[in-house]
């Protein structure tokens, strides 16, 4: 009975923690052996606050962030802030852009002001809503205009086709905009009312599915009535603003009006007076200004004219009070009065103004000059004795004349020494031979065709054969890219030039990863023209901290100002009169100076043509646009980076160029110009660093084949073709494609055969490799002037129209 009624613990029995024996302070100190642990940062503030206070603190922080977002929304487009800048982007050739703009202008109690700078642009003032907008349509097919306007736009309004959405040109435009950085946007679909109701619903469902990939959370806004345009305006004013880092830290403006005043010396250069609303940051008169697509300039004066888009316009004499909110005075008297009321905000201080100097003027006498010591003089005399040579000279020749006589062998070596582009010699010769053969074959074919064919067919064939030379060049590039993939960095040893002369600028490395390489060794002359930071990341951090904490003296955000920009070419004003946007950015300190920029890019999936290193490409870096011939290198964490001869489609590469300093973050787009003027997007990425000390190493691989194989030795041939080259490259380590390592023991004979020792027996199908390395630098080909691209839609329809006319 006692056993049956015994107490048994239930599932809720208390379980006490086991004693942690040996983990008290005394044993832990003994186990530490005298080592002092790292002290954690004290969290006194959190420890002092109780649970309720911490909850209140989190609530206050959340409320502050929410109020900051609301304040930003309220200031945009209000009386104190700049007008809400909306850029209208047409994504399909059949989209009704003009009807959409006409609907947006037909708002109740709204004042419409025509834009002075661009045809079709207008400003919309709604005093009842206390909002003001500026709508700027981007010219269809003009890639530079779309990208420049997107740099400063508060919102993008995409106009879609109700059936197809966007075409190939719209797809290309979207790829560029997403790579550059997309601000806030909205999708409008005008038209579609002529379709039957059932097809209209099906088309809308199909369009909604197609935009899910590009715009996952976007909402389609139909734009057929005034009520729908009001809903679209309300959405634009209330949506969350997306920030672009490269423009939020710099003052920028889109030109509303411009005036050119020629200088006294020349009519081609003068002062450009640019008026617009300041955005981003406060604009300082002493800082430099970059006009996108035209270069860097200085500002001499900042004026404050009356706001042309004021929600509360001034009363003009003789005008009724009731018309103040509906009509703004645009008569000549009003313009004269505005000119009289222009106030000078600030003038540039020559002592504080940023300089336009972009390059360092190198001093040829700046090098180290020391008087030679007696040991150096003796070494020089011994070397002269050792270099004495016997030369056959005509009878009666003096010693001075004999010193100028050059042997045949020395003449060849001097030519090789003077050739700075020895690394591209084989490739250049190959390209010249191919182009000459192509030209000769085309000329012969053209002569034969002109003799045998009729006039109409000859004209058609000649127009078609104009592209044959480009096809042959592209075929040669495809072959070179394929050979570089199959045999990376392998070159043939020349037969007519000694290898020790041909590859005299190269060196061998024990290990590419660990062997040292001085970044200041054998720098080119172009490095004397650039600027370099002692610590770029620290300078950037201090500069951005100063922008966030300190308020810049100058024109505040939202002010309508007029900038007097000095020494501007007249071509800037001509492009503005043609209807192209004029976008200005203020430069941060040092951003006008030249240095070495490294971009981390990845090839665009829509482009498959081979792109070789040192080809001229077009860069859109942040707010800049320029042309340059870059280098491609691997993106690794080592201190040396291997050169890539082609832009790889399967890996991220680093692009290195000489360009003005730009502080990251900044997006970058790489374009390649076709022969017909179109620009193809080939790669996208971001700015990695501004570092001239980044070492880019070009590798050459000489290959040989085993002739006789023994246990750990082998006779190798076809790597060199004379005995002297074998002795010259004897210290360099050998490797094989199957992982063996070895070295050259001795030459055999006089035709380049050599006896080599390896760490194991070779296979008969193995290949012996000798690796050589040389540091390479980009070419100084920076050009801030980029040619205008041919519009997509016109260029795509050129060939079919010609074919129809010929038929």
């Amino acid at each position: 009975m006692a056993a049956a009624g015994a107490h048994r613990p239930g599932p809720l029995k208390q379980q006490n923690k086991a004693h942690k024996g040996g983990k008290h302070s005394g044993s832990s100190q003994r186990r530490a052996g005298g080592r002092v642990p790292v002290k954690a940062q004290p969290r006194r503030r959190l420890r002092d606050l109780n649970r309720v206070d911490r909850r209140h603190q989190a609530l206050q922080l959340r409320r502050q962030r929410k109020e900051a977002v609301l304040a930003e929304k309220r200031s945009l487009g209000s009386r104190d802030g700049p007008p809400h800048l909306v850029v209208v982007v047409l994504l399909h050739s059949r989209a009704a852009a003009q009807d959409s703009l006409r609907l947006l202008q037909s708002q109740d109690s709204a004042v419409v002001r025509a834009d002075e700078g661009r045809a079709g642009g207008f400003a919309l003032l709604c005093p009842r809503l206390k909002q003001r907008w500026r709508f700027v349509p981007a010219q269809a097919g003009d890639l530079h205009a779309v990208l420049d306007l997107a740099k400063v736009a508060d919102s993008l309004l995409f106009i879609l086709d109700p059936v197809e959405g966007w075409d190939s040109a719209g797809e290309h435009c979207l790829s560029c905009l997403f790579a550059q950085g997309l601000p806030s946007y909205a999708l409008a679909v005008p038209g579609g009312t002529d379709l039957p109701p059932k097809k209209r619903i099906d088309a809308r469902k199909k369009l909604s599915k197609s935009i899910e990939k590009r715009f996952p959370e976007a909402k389609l806004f139909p734009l057929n009535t005034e009520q729908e345009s009001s809903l679209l305006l309300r959405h634009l004013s209330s949506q969350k603003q997306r920030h672009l880092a490269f423009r939020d830290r710099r003052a920028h403006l889109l030109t509303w009006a411009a005036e050119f005043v020629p200088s006294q010396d020349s009519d081609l250069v003068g002062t450009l007076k640019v008026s617009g609303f300041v955005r981003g940051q406060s604009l300082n008169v002493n800082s430099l200004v970059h006009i996108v697509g035209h270069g860097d300039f200085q500002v001499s004066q900042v004026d404050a004219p009356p706001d042309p888009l004021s929600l509360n316009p001034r009363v003009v004499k003789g005008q009724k009070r009731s018309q103040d909110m509906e009509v703004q005075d645009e008569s000549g008297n009003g313009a004269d009065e505005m000119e009289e009321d222009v106030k000078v905000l600030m003038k540039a201080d020559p002592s504080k103004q940023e300089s336009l100097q972009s390059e360092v003027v190198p001093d040829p006498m700046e090098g180290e000059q020391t008087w030679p010591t007696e040991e150096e003089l003796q070494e020089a005399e011994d070397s002269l004795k050792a270099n004495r040579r016997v030369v056959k000279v005509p009878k009666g020749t003096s010693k001075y004349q004999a010193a100028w006589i050059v042997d045949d062998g020395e003449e060849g070596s001097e030519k090789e020494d003077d050739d700075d582009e020895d690394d591209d010699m084989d490739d250049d010769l190959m390209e010249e031979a191919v182009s000459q053969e192509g030209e000769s074959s085309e000329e012969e074919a053209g002569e034969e065709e002109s003799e045998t064919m009729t006039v109409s067919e000859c004209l058609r064939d000649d127009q078609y054969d104009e592209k044959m030379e480009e096809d042959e060049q592209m075929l040669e590039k495809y072959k070179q890219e394929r050979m570089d993939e199959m045999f990376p960095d392998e070159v043939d040893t020349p037969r007519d030039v000694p290898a020790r002369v041909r590859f005299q600028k190269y060196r061998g490395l024990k290990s590419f990863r660990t062997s040292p390489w001085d970044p200041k060794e054998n720098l080119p002359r172009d490095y004397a023209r650039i600027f370099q930071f002692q610590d770029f990341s620290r300078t950037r951090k201090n500069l951005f901290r100063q922008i966030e904490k300190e308020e810049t003296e100058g024109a505040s955000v939202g002010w309508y100002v007029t900038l007097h920009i000095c020494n501007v070419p007249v071509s800037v004003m001509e492009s503005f009169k043609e209807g192209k946007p004029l976008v200005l950015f203020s430069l941060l300190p040092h951003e006008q100076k030249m240095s070495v920029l490294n971009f981390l890019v990845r090839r665009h999936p829509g482009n498959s043509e081979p792109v070789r290193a040192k080809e001229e490409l077009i860069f859109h870096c942040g707010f800049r646009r320029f042309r340059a011939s870059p280098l491609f290198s691997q993106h690794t964490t080592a201190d040396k980076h291997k050169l890539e001869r082609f832009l790889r489609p399967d890996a991220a590469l680093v692009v290195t160029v000489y360009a003005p300093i730009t502080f990251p973050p900044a997006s970058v787009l790489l374009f390649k110009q076709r022969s017909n003027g179109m620009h193809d997007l080939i790669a996208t990425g971001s700015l990695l660093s501004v570092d001239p000390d980044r070492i880019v190493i070009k590798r050459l691989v000489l290959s040989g084949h085993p002739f006789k194989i023994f246990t750990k030795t082998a006779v190798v041939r076809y790597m060199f073709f004379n005995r002297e080259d074998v002795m010259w490259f004897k210290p360099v380590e050998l490797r094989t494609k199957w992982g063996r390592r070895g070295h050259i023991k001795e030459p055999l004979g006089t035709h380049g055969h050599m006896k080599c020792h390896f760490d194991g027996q070779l296979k008969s199908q193995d290949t012996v490799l000798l690796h050589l390395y040389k540091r390479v630098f980009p070419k100084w080909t920076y050009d801030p002037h980029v040619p205008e691209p041919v519009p997509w839609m016109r260029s795509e329809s050129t060939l079919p129209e010609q074919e129809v006319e010929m038929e």
Side-chain angles (χ1 to χ4, degrees), residues 110-392:
V111 181
V112 179
R113 290 286 306 275
D115 199 340
E116 299 180 17
R118 169 171 286 271
F122 63 92
L124 192 65
L125 307 178
C126 296
R128 183 173 58 84
L129 301 177
K130 298 181 180 180
Q131 286 287 323
R132 52 182 180 171
W133 289 272
R134 183 185 176 189
F135 289 87
V136 180
Q139 184 178 355
D142 192 350
L143 180 64
H144 289 345
V146 174
L147 293 178
D148 291 346
L149 289 172
K151 290 180 175 68
V152 294
D154 296 318
S155 300
L156 296 180
L157 179 58
F158 294 115
I159 307 297
L160 282 71
D161 182 68
V163 179
E164 297 182 3
W166 54 77
D167 53 8
S168 59
E171 178 70 23
H172 182 65
C173 177
L174 286 177
S175 299
C176 298
L177 289 174
F178 273 90
Q180 178 179 267
L182 199 65
S184 303
Y185 59 88
L187 304 177
V189 186
T193 55
D194 53 344
L195 296 174
K198 188 174 181 180
K199 290 186 177 180
R200 196 182 308 169
I201 296 174
D202 294 340
R204 185 172 180 83
K205 288 182 180 179
K206 185 178 178 180
L207 184 60
S208 300
K209 288 183 179 180
S210 63
I211 68 171
E212 285 182 358
K213 296 181 180 179
R214 280 287 189 182
F215 310 98
E217 301 177 356
K219 180 183 177 182
L220 286 174
F221 286 89
L223 196 58
N224 299 313
T225 61
E226 295 184 7
Q227 184 179 4
E228 291 174 346
S229 64
S230 300
L231 292 176
L232 179 60
L233 283 178
R234 183 175 299 176
H235 172 73
L236 289 172
S237 61
S238 62
Q239 68 178 346
K240 182 180 179 181
Q241 293 298 313
R242 303 175 66 177
H243 294 274
L244 300 179
F246 72 89
R247 74 178 185 185
D248 288 343
R249 293 189 174 95
R250 299 169 178 87
H252 56 275
L253 60 88
L254 177 63
T255 303
W256 171 266
E259 179 186 357
F260 184 78
V261 180
S263 63
Q264 299 178 356
D265 301 333
S266 174
D267 294 339
L268 301 178
V269 180
T271 301
L272 183 66
K273 298 180 180 180
V274 176
S275 300
F277 292 90
V278 180
R279 303 172 184 272
Q281 296 287 335
S282 299
L283 180 63
N284 191 359
V285 68
N286 294 319
S287 61
L288 298 180
V289 168
H290 176 79
I291 303 178
V292 177
H294 299 282
D296 304 334
F297 304 94
Q298 287 181 332
V299 181
S300 61
Q301 181 177 324
V302 177
D303 299 338
D307 191 347
L309 304 181
S310 176
L311 289 173
N312 298 316
R314 295 180 302 171
V315 179
V316 182
K317 296 180 180 179
Q319 187 177 2
K320 293 183 180 180
R321 191 77 176 177
S322 60
Q323 298 177 350
D324 291 348
M325 299 301 291
E326 298 291 337
V327 181
Q328 295 189 19
D329 180 60
E330 297 181 3
S331 61
N333 297 332
D336 296 339
E337 187 177 352
M338 287 174 62
E339 292 180 0
E340 294 177 0
D341 293 346
V342 171
K343 299 178 182 178
V344 178
L345 283 180
M346 60 195 79
K347 291 188 177 182
D349 187 359
S351 61
K352 298 180 180 179
Q353 196 172 25
E354 291 282 346
S355 173
L356 281 173
Q357 181 184 3
S358 61
E359 301 177 14
V360 179
V361 179
D363 186 5
M365 304 299 293
E366 194 177 6
E368 182 181 1
Q369 299 179 4
T370 55
W371 189 258
T373 60
E374 295 181 359
E375 290 81 8
E376 292 176 347
L377 292 174
Q378 187 64 33
E379 290 177 3
E381 186 176 354
D382 295 342
S383 63
L384 287 175
K385 292 180 180 179
N387 292 332
R388 287 177 182 173
R389 54 193 172 91
V390 179
V391 184
K392 291 182 180 181

Side-chain angles (χ1 to χ4, degrees), residues 473-479 481 603 607-612 615 646-647 672:
Q473 294 178 357
M474 189 61 62
L475 177 61
E476 185 61 30
K477 285 186 179 181
Y478 275 117
K479 289 181 179 179
E481 186 181 25
R603 185 155 186 172
N607 184 273
S608 59
E609 295 183 358
V611 180
R612 193 174 177 181
E615 284 189 20
F646 290 89
L647 187 62
K672 185 178 179 181

Side-chain angles (χ1 to χ4, degrees), residues 55 115 340 375 379 420 482 504 555 634 787-788:
R55 185 175 297 175
D115 199 340
E340 294 177 0
E375 290 81 8
E379 290 177 3
D420 293 335
R482 179 65 175 166
Q504 60 185 344
Q634 293 180 353
E788 293 294 332

Side-chain angles (χ1 to χ4, degrees), residues 537-594:
S537 60
R538 184 179 61 185
T539 304
R540 171 181 171 274
K541 190 181 298 183
N542 293 339
L543 187 61
F544 287 175
R545 188 185 299 116
Q546 181 180 358
I547 293 174
E548 293 176 358
K549 292 184 178 180
E550 300 179 5
E551 294 184 359
T552 307
E553 296 181 357
S556 300
V557 178
W559 289 7
Y560 182 77
V561 297
T562 299
L563 307 181
H564 295 246
I565 307 175
C566 308
N567 301 324
V568 180
V570 70
S571 59
V572 181
M573 188 64 191
E574 292 175 354
S575 66
F576 180 71
K577 289 181 179 179
E578 292 175 358
K580 297 176 182 177
L582 200 61
V583 179
L584 280 73
F585 276 84
S586 67
L587 298 181
L588 300 178
H590 314 295
E591 283 196 329
Q592 79 279 10
K593 301 174 183 176
M594 295 290 292

